[in-house]
Amino acid sequence: KQEVTQIPAALSVPEGENLVLNCSFTDSAIYNLQWFRQDPGKGLTSLLLIQSSQREQTSGRLNASLDKSSGRSTLYIAASQPGDSATYLCAVLSISSGSARQLTFGSGTQLTVLP
Amino acid sequence: DADVTQTPRNRITKTGKRIMLECSQTKGHDRMYWYRQDPGLGLRLIYYSFDVKDINKGEISDGYSVSRQAQAKFSLSLESAIPNQTALYFCATSVTDVYTGELFFGEGSRLTVL
């Protein structure tokens, strides 16, 4: 059974810092990995989707990398801003989930960017 | 207006009561999902539906049932609510299989069972 872990559970940084959020998964047989952002009282918003054949994806100040062999993904946020404060979740689509196509979510990293 | 709308947004109920959470979407997507989120556990899939005639159990379907009334509507029911069903519930949609497409989430329904 796929397990997804995100460490740390919470992170606080001063504005302007570059930072890295980590996601690890136990089964490297995956179709893709997604990063989501969750704001308090809101649903999840998809940030980046990396297919298993890709090494990284970029969107603005965000860069996500994928290393299937080691079961790791990182989300790099450049020049962090207070508006980046949110919980960031990663989710993995495992080949073993078969036709169910079930995503396995990590529990998230709560990021606070201090002005 | 939100593309994926959940009602109610907050609900407090008592053990043994029947509860229905409703989801409607204006995105025209065929695929709809119900997840629950618990602190420290991430999101877990309860039920999913790939079209009006297709209903499938997810990882944690026990104690729940669903109804796909139309392409745009997918309801989650708790026939007899219990305290460990206290959680934040999310409805989501996708236009294709999550292999290639992204999920679009509603804003969540917070359920408290006393």
Side-chain angles (χ1 to χ4, degrees), chain A residues 6-96:
Chain A
Q6 293 184 248
I7 296 174
L11 179 65
S12 183
V13 300
E15 182 177 5
E17 273 203 8
N18 302 323
L19 60 98
V20 173
L21 305 181
N22 297 296
C23 173
S24 61
F25 47 95
T26 55
D27 182 356
S28 61
I30 66 171
Y31 285 116
N32 63 42
L33 182 145
Q34 298 184 55
W35 282 93
F36 294 86
R37 169 182 173 140
Q38 183 177 19
D39 292 285
K42 301 290 186 180
L44 282 68
T45 301
S46 179
L47 296 174
L48 291 164
L49 168 66
I50 311 177
Q51 299 292 353
S52 62
S53 59
Q54 298 174 322
R55 297 280 295 180
E56 64 180 310
Q57 282 286 337
T58 297
S59 176
R61 294 183 295 108
L62 305 180
N63 176 278
S65 67
L66 174 64
D67 184 344
K68 271 199 321 177
S69 61
S70 67
R72 293 180 183 176
S73 175
T74 61
L75 179 66
Y76 175 83
I77 302 177
S80 59
Q81 304 170 358
D84 294 330
S85 297
T87 297
Y88 292 82
L89 296 95
C90 67
V92 172
L93 181 61
S94 305
I95 292 173
S96 61

Side-chain angles (χ1 to χ4, degrees), chain A residues 1 31-32 34 36 38 41-47 49 51-52 87 89 93 99-108, chain B residues 9 33 35 37 40-45 48 50 57-59 88 90 97-108:
Chain A
K1 180 183 174 183
Y31 285 116
N32 63 42
Q34 298 184 55
F36 294 86
Q38 183 177 19
K42 301 290 186 180
L44 282 68
T45 301
S46 179
L47 296 174
L49 168 66
Q51 299 292 353
S52 62
T87 297
L89 296 95
L93 181 61
S99 60
R101 302 288 202 205
Q102 294 187 28
L103 289 172
T104 303
F105 283 81
S107 55
Chain B
R9 294 292 313 280
Y33 311 80
Y35 288 89
Q37 184 178 33
L41 293 179
L43 276 76
R44 292 179 292 168
L45 183 64
Y48 61 102
F50 285 172
K57 292 182 178 180
E59 180 185 356
L88 183 58
F90 286 105
D97 199 317
V98 291
Y99 174 66
T100 56
E102 61 181 300
L103 286 174
F104 295 87
F105 283 84
E107 296 192 336

